[in-house]
């Protein structure tokens, strides 16, 4: 129950201050169908329960209005998916069902299901999507209901994304619970310290429950993402540096910015345009005063090797003279109240209508309208405010929220394939469906280019449609620190292509904080500097030359790491593995590693142990088993030890595992230079191995085998290269007819500096 000193009615409040009583379990009122299947997915046994309550006795006029929602939007249809395997679900008897941790469920009210499970003391909790939390989520309550909440602090509960996949970690075993329903859920992970977990699922419909038996962490995530999908390879340019600000007000500023990056030799691939490029915040328009040459801007920028991304919010300005609004009204594409009126609320454009993305016609219309950007050369689309956020309904759920209200009492209705449903039941899908339409727009307009979509809201499986960022953080060291556990849990929930605003969005960054943020940001899969209107500028050249030098050098290292990063995305596409991983991913059973969330693994070979406080000059670093080399100095550390390590400002806080071979590119100003960059295989140790993935970085051709995967080995100091996959042989596509790439290797200690490598068959 919220306790707000400004509005609390003290008489009621006093009544609430009683001793703690165990809450009795509700009586099960379920009547309906429950069906059980099981399968082995990526080697992990999974139980699936399909639960459908009998439709409440609908009033005669409502019979065709009440949709059941049989469809899962989260789980991919294995028949139509490129990434997931066909899964063989076997019918099982429901009577003999016994789930791990004694998981049980019941229907507590017509609009609520409760789930209970045991949480022995030693169990840790991971995953659950985007949570403002340490890595271990235990001891807190987690409400999953898409909310524009810019206050990221310990009270933050509802945030932008909703991914109801919880990992229960115990020793080397990782079990999973996935409640597949877009409806709001409240997960209580033993807040009362009674060793039990509870979930309330607020729905008048049914749900699918998936329970994954204990497995290794990589196997569990592989199984979960086999069901819910993986991100296909992103365009290479989207992995470079992205520069954003709310907002660059006019095209002169954009051109000036591009100039600055190139003159100062700070690598950058993308400039991002926030809401002020529009004409009075009308979506699919541009300001004629401030962006008079909108149609040639992207071309000019392309000549300077920049891509442009524009923000696109869902709210459509209520304006009879605005063709998009008129079309939406005419074709019945907006969300409508139970009374049949178009729902109107305030967002940036003023009074606005909200597209009903649950409807296929709306998605088609949106997809086609997005051509406005694509025909003007815009390369990527950034979806914001898609919870959907509304200025006067920040927290639309009734409080207290004990069960899902009837459909017609839920703000407005949305139209699914199965009929109308109350908005709250499907609100968590709003950003997901918008992302789906947006991705389709890019694919349709540019069939042979990998799309780039960025979204703030999203739900299970969003990685199939878009990259994500974690919304409005602040320029605080606390938020720098929190970005580690938050992104780790997002990654374990299937969403690998993620990042937070580098430098912090709200507040004013300091030069030192910005540098520290870039030291970690180099390893965010999504690498973008962004800040709010009210904050001080934080482009890399907004501070002293000393700061600029440090930031430049960090961004340069991001570009050097691109071949390794591409390899990690390739790994994600095939196994669901995130790029940022908790230490325990690679060091299972190591209890110190499991307790550590101020360090992380970036792939199997790099460990990041950053400075997270102001004026920090050194920190304790835990080195798991093995031998480690400091990225910047080559200094050697023996593993299974915690050591005090210096963290000078501006140095990449990374350590490489002995036995690794990292493929590195040369420094470049943008990924347009990537295909010509020499590749150095940096060898760590006398016996080492690695891989190097290369393709054209832009098309879908890798899906039909047009890529190379080189296997690199060093045995007793002798370097060998062989083709794991050689799909570009005889093609010059990679190099667009230009000079052929040079390959060489060198050892970390400087021996064998730059020995040229001849590729097999070259
Ligand atoms: O109400 O478009 O999270 O990245 O710069 C604020 C302006 C709306 C919130 C996003 C932020 C973006 C800002 N938006």
């Amino acid at each position: 129950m919220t306790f707000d000193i400004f509005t609390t009615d003290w008489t009621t409040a006093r009544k609430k201050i009683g001793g703690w009583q165990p809450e009795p379990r509700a009586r099960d009122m379920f009547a309906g169908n429950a069906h059980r299947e099981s399968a082995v997915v990526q080697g992990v046994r999974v139980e699936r329960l399909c639960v459908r309550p009998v439709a409440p006795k609908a009033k005669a006029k409502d019979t065709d209005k009440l949709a059941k929602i049989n469809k899962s939007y989260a789980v991919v249809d294995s028949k139509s998916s490129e990434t997931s395997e066909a899964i063989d679900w076997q019918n099982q008897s429901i009577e003999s069902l016994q789930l791990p941790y004694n998981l049980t469920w019941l229907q507590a009210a017509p609009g609520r299901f409760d789930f209970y499970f045991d949480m022995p003391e030693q169990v840790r909790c991971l995953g659950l999507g985007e949570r403002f939390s340490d890595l271990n989520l235990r001891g807190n309550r987690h409400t999953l209901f898409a909310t524009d909440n810019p206050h990221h602090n310990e009270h933050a509960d509802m945030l932008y994304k909703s991914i109801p996949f919880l990992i229960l970690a115990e020793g080397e075993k990782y079990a999973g619970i996935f409640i597949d329903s877009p409806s709001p859920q409240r997960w209580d992970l033993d807040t009362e310290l009674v060793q039990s977990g509870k979930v309330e699922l607020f729905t008048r419909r049914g749900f699918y429950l998936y329970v994954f038996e204990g497995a290794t962490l990589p196997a569990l995530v592989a199984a979960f993402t086999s069901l819910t999908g993986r991100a296909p390879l992103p365009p290479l340019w989207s992995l470079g540096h992205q520069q954003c600000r709310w907002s660059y007000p006019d095209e002169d500023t954009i051109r000036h910015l591009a100039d600055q990056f190139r003159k100062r030799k700070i690598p950058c691939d993308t400039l991002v345009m926030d809401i002020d490029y529009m004409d009075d915040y009308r979506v699919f328009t541009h300001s004629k005063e401030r962006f008079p040459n909108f149609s040639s801007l992207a071309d000019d920028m392309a000549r300077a090797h920049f891509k442009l991304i524009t923000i696109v919010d869902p709210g459509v300005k209520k304006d009879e003279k605005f063709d998009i609004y008129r079309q939406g009204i005419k074709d019945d594409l907006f969300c409508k109240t139970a009374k049949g009126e178009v729902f109107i609320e305030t967002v940036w454009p003023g009074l606005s209508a909200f597209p009903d993305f649950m409807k296929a016609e709306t998605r088609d219309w949106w997809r086609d309208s997005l051509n406005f950007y694509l025909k003007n050369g815009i390369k990527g689309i950034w979806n914001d405010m898609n919870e959907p956020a509304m200025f006067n309904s920040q927290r639309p759920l009734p409080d207290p929220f004990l069960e899902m209200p009837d459909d017609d009492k839920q703000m407005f209705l949305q139209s699914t394939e199965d009929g109308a449903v109350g908005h709250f039941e499907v609100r968590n899908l709003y950003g997901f469906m918008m992302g789906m339409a947006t991705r389709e727009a890019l694919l349709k307009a540019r069939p042979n280019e990998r799309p780039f979509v960025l979204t703030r809201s999203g739900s299970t499986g969003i990685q199939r449609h878009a990259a994500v960022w974690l919304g409005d953080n602040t320029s605080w060291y606390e938020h720098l620190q929190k970005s580690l556990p938050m992104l780790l849990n997002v990654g374990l929930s299937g969403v690998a292509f993620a990042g937070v605003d580098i430098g912090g969005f709200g507040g004013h960054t300091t030069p030192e904080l910005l540098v520290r943020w870039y030291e970690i940001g180099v390893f965010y899969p999504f690498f973008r500097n962004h800040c709010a209107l009210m904050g001080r500028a934080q482009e890399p050249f907004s501070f002293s030359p000393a700061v600029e030098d440090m930031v430049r050098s960090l961004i340069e290292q991001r570009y050097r790491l691109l071949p390794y990063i591409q390899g990690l995305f390739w790994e994600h596409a095939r196994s669901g593995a995130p790029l940022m991983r908790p230490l325990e991913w690679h060091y299972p059973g190591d209890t110190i590693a499991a307790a550590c969330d101020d360090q992380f693994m970036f792939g199997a070979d790099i460990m990041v142990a950053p400075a997270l406080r102001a004026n920090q000059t050194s920190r304790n670093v835990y080195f798991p088993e093995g031998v480690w080399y400091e990225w910047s100095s080559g200094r050697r550390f023996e593993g299974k030890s915690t050591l005090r390590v210096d963290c000078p400002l501006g140095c990449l806080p990374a350590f490489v595992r002995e036995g690794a071979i990292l493929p590195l590119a040369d420094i470049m100003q943008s990924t347009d230079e990537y295909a010509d960059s020499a590749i150095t295989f940096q060898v760590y140790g006398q016996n080492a191995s690695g891989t190097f993935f290369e393709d054209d970085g832009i098309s879908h051709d890798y899906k039909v085998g047009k890529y190379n995967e080189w296997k690199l080995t060093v045995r007793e100091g002798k370097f060998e290269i062989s083709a794991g996959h050689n799909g570009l042989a005889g093609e010059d596509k990679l190099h667009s007819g230009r000079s052929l790439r040079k390959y060489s290797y060198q050892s970390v200690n400087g021996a064998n500096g730059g020995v040229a490598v001849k590729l097999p068959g070259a």
Side-chain angles (χ1 to χ4, degrees):
M1 205 104 344
T2 43
F3 198 75
D4 176 342
I5 53 163
F6 299 110
T7 58
T8 297
D9 139 20
W10 291 102
T11 315
T12 324
R14 261 185 220 106
K15 274 191 209 143
K16 285 181 202 153
I17 310 173
W20 178 75
Q21 298 286 325
E23 206 186 305
R25 288 191 185 196
R27 211 155 44 95
D28 188 9
M29 56 169 293
F30 179 73
N33 307 309
H35 177 74
R36 172 189 169 201
E37 292 161 307
S38 55
V40 174
V41 183
Q42 306 269 301
V44 179
R45 188 180 162 92
V46 184
E47 298 288 349
R48 165 159 88 176
L49 234 60
C50 172
V51 172
R52 296 275 164 251
V54 172
K57 233 181 161 192
K59 293 166 225 128
K61 64 174 167 57
D62 284 347
T63 22
D64 52 10
K65 252 176 65 179
L66 256 188
K68 290 209 195 72
I69 332 185
N70 286 317
K71 186 180 163 78
S72 165
Y73 295 87
V75 171
V76 273
D77 173 5
S78 58
K79 277 173 246 102
S80 68
S81 152
E82 326 160 334
T83 48
S84 75
E85 53 178 333
I87 296 169
D88 184 17
W89 291 103
Q90 302 283 332
N91 286 337
Q92 303 283 340
S93 102
I94 191 114
E95 283 74 33
S96 63
L97 180 66
Q98 258 263 309
L99 293 171
Y101 297 102
N102 293 318
L103 176 65
T104 56
W105 63 273
L106 55 83
Q107 185 168 16
R112 192 178 100 210
F113 291 85
D114 292 352
F115 301 74
Y116 294 91
F117 51 97
D118 298 340
M119 288 181 60
E121 218 168 12
Q122 66 279 11
V123 166
R124 292 173 301 116
C125 299
L126 312 171
L128 222 49
E130 176 185 53
R131 305 299 314 155
F132 186 85
S133 171
D134 295 334
L135 185 60
N136 188 350
L137 303 156
R138 188 172 177 139
N140 236 320
R141 198 178 82 160
H142 303 276
T143 309
L144 307 183
F145 184 71
T147 304
D148 173 12
N149 179 4
H151 307 291
H152 299 186
N153 59 38
E154 286 194 21
H155 298 283
D157 183 5
M158 291 180 262
L159 287 170
Y160 316 91
K161 301 170 190 72
S162 310
I163 307 181
F165 172 56
L166 179 75
I167 299 172
L168 295 164
E170 196 174 355
E172 296 183 32
K173 286 276 181 230
Y174 296 80
I177 303 173
F178 168 38
I179 302 178
D180 181 11
S181 159
S183 303
Q185 308 187 11
R186 198 187 280 147
W187 291 65
D188 182 315
L189 302 179
D190 197 25
T191 52
E192 294 291 350
L193 311 177
V194 291
Q195 307 205 3
S196 106
K198 178 181 178 185
V199 190
E200 293 157 301
L201 164 68
F202 302 95
T203 182
R204 294 187 165 262
R205 273 100 193 156
F207 59 87
Y208 290 97
L209 168 70
Y210 290 83
V211 182
F212 301 75
E213 78 166 12
T216 66
L217 187 52
L220 177 68
V221 173
F224 176 65
T225 54
S226 176
L227 291 170
T228 58
R230 294 154 186 160
L233 283 186
L236 181 65
W237 61 262
S238 69
L239 306 181
H241 183 234
Q242 304 202 12
Q243 182 64 54
C244 188
R245 176 79 202 260
W246 173 23
S247 289
Y248 298 123
D250 51 34
E251 65 175 70
D252 289 348
T253 307
I254 298 282
R255 289 174 203 275
H256 175 73
L257 210 58
D259 264 10
Q260 291 297 309
F261 274 104
R262 294 296 176 247
K263 271 202 198 109
R264 295 165 184 268
K265 293 213 169 313
I266 298 171
C268 189
D269 264 82
T270 305
L271 301 176
V272 187
M273 291 149 77
D274 207 322
I275 47 179
D276 294 287
Y277 72 84
M278 286 178 271
D279 169 23
D280 207 12
Y281 305 124
R282 284 178 187 82
V283 67
F284 314 123
T285 69
H286 69 89
S287 156
K288 301 209 169 48
E289 294 78 51
R290 290 173 290 107
F291 289 84
N293 305 299
F294 191 76
S295 61
S296 54
L297 185 62
D299 275 356
D300 295 350
M301 289 298 107
R303 273 192 291 278
H305 308 287
F306 285 99
K307 315 282 184 286
L308 289 183
I309 289 177
T310 47
I311 199 170
V312 175
D313 291 355
V316 174
K317 189 177 179 68
K318 179 174 188 281
D319 170 2
E320 300 297 339
K321 291 196 209 89
F322 180 29
D323 54 344
I324 298 292
Y325 176 75
R326 280 205 315 271
Q327 274 169 27
I329 295 287
K330 185 171 121 278
D331 298 336
D332 193 16
L333 304 171
F334 293 127
C335 297
K336 284 163 124 179
T337 65
K339 286 195 190 117
E341 288 156 5
V342 171
F343 176 82
I344 300 290
E345 237 275 31
T346 308
V347 252
W348 291 107
L351 292 178
S352 303
F354 297 83
D356 182 0
F357 289 112
M358 295 303 296
K359 257 184 164 174
E361 303 86 68
T362 307
R363 294 197 298 274
D364 290 350
W365 165 68
W366 197 259
R367 179 196 64 205
D368 294 345
S369 306
L370 281 164
N371 275 326
F372 163 76
Y373 299 100
L374 308 183
K375 72 173 195 262
N376 283 309
I378 301 299
K379 282 289 180 186
I381 301 289
W382 168 24
N383 287 341
D384 187 25
M385 305 292 275
N386 53 355
E387 291 72 29
M390 294 161 194
F391 290 169
N392 303 311
S393 318
Q394 285 268 72
R395 283 155 194 274
L397 282 189
D399 184 18
F401 190 58
L402 300 175
E403 69 167 313
M404 179 59 78
D406 279 328
D407 289 277
D408 51 8
K409 304 217 172 64
Q410 296 181 32
M411 206 167 186
F412 51 81
L413 296 170
Q414 293 196 250
S415 308
T416 73
E417 277 173 29
D418 304 303
V421 297
H423 169 60
F424 298 151
E425 292 262 18
V426 289
R427 178 179 171 91
N428 288 336
L429 285 169
Y430 199 88
F432 178 97
M433 302 305 272
M434 184 184 185
M436 180 160 125
T438 307
R439 178 180 154 79
E440 276 170 16
L442 286 151
L443 281 173
K444 195 172 171 212
R446 300 174 185 144
N448 210 21
E449 276 182 36
R450 302 176 202 165
F452 178 78
V453 180
L454 177 69
T455 183
R456 189 169 75 177
S457 189
S459 51
T460 314
I462 187 63
Q463 65 272 11
R464 309 198 303 267
H465 306 156
V468 306
W469 95 108
L470 306 192
D472 296 345
N473 63 357
T474 300
S475 301
W476 293 335
Y477 281 92
E478 189 201 2
H479 282 184
L480 174 67
Q481 179 262 316
K482 273 292 187 294
S483 73
L484 271 57
M486 288 180 80
L487 288 168
L488 291 172
N489 277 328
V490 164
L492 293 175
S493 310
V495 187
F497 197 3
V500 306
D501 291 343
I502 292 173
F505 174 76
H508 307 283
T509 199
T510 64
E512 183 191 347
L513 177 59
L514 183 77
V515 174
R516 289 302 192 197
W517 219 308
Y518 268 104
E519 288 173 11
I520 302 172
V522 166
F523 303 101
Y524 293 156
F526 172 63
F527 183 48
R528 185 182 74 163
N529 176 333
H530 178 42
C531 87
L533 189 63
M534 312 63 121
R536 71 159 294 179
Q538 63 183 41
E539 287 75 21
F541 36 80
S542 309
F543 306 90
S544 68
V547 174
E548 182 176 331
D549 288 349
M550 284 189 258
V551 172
R552 176 191 300 105
S553 133
L554 290 166
I555 298 176
E556 284 173 354
Q557 294 175 73
R558 167 74 175 206
Y559 280 82
R560 291 210 68 200
L561 281 162
L562 278 178
Y564 179 71
I565 295 174
Q566 265 214 312
L568 291 181
F569 270 99
W570 176 231
E571 189 184 341
H572 168 79
R574 287 169 306 155
S575 70
L579 285 77
M580 291 173 69
R581 306 167 185 171
L583 299 193
E584 64 196 282
W585 181 281
H586 289 292
Y587 301 94
D590 177 335
T591 48
I592 302 178
C596 174
D597 66 2
D598 61 352
Q599 301 177 202
F600 62 93
M601 298 300 298
F602 186 62
D605 298 333
I606 298 181
M607 180 174 72
V608 184
L612 298 164
R613 286 181 292 113
N615 294 307
Q616 198 172 349
T617 53
S618 64
R619 62 162 283 167
N620 288 339
V621 175
Y622 176 64
F623 294 93
E625 193 162 36
V627 172
W628 299 85
Y629 296 90
E630 192 168 42
W631 168 270
S632 51
S633 67
R635 189 177 153 204
R636 191 172 182 278
F637 295 88
E638 288 287 340
K640 275 264 169 220
S641 56
T642 300
L643 298 166
R644 196 78 194 162
V645 178
D646 288 340
C647 39
L649 191 64
C651 274
L652 210 59
F655 301 86
V656 186
R657 187 180 63 81
E658 183 169 80
I661 303 178
L662 302 182
L664 303 174
D666 285 347
I667 292 169
M668 60 191 85
Q669 297 307 303
S670 82
T671 56
D672 282 1
E673 296 169 43
Y674 185 84
D676 290 333
S677 166
I679 300 288
T680 304
F681 303 120
Q682 180 84 42
V683 180
Y684 293 83
Q686 281 293 299
N687 292 292
S689 62
T691 56
F692 168 54
F693 173 88
E694 57 183 348
D695 82 331
D696 64 21
I698 192 75
S699 78
H700 305 291
D701 291 358
Y702 72 92
K703 292 183 181 167
V704 293
K706 291 193 180 167
Y707 64 89
N708 291 336
E709 192 170 34
W710 302 106
K711 300 245 173 279
L712 320 165
T713 33
V714 169
R715 274 193 213 97
E716 299 308 327
K718 204 175 152 303
F719 185 90
E720 278 167 34
I721 186 163
S722 64
H725 181 91
N726 194 348
L728 290 171
E731 287 201 33
D732 199 22
K733 213 167 162 192
L734 190 61
H735 306 284
S736 15
R738 291 171 300 199
S739 63
L740 279 175
R741 171 176 265 177
K742 291 194 178 61
Y743 301 85
S744 62
Y745 77 93
Q746 65 179 28
S747 316
V748 61
N749 56 16
N752 299 327
V755 180
V757 173
K758 221 169 142 273
L759 297 187

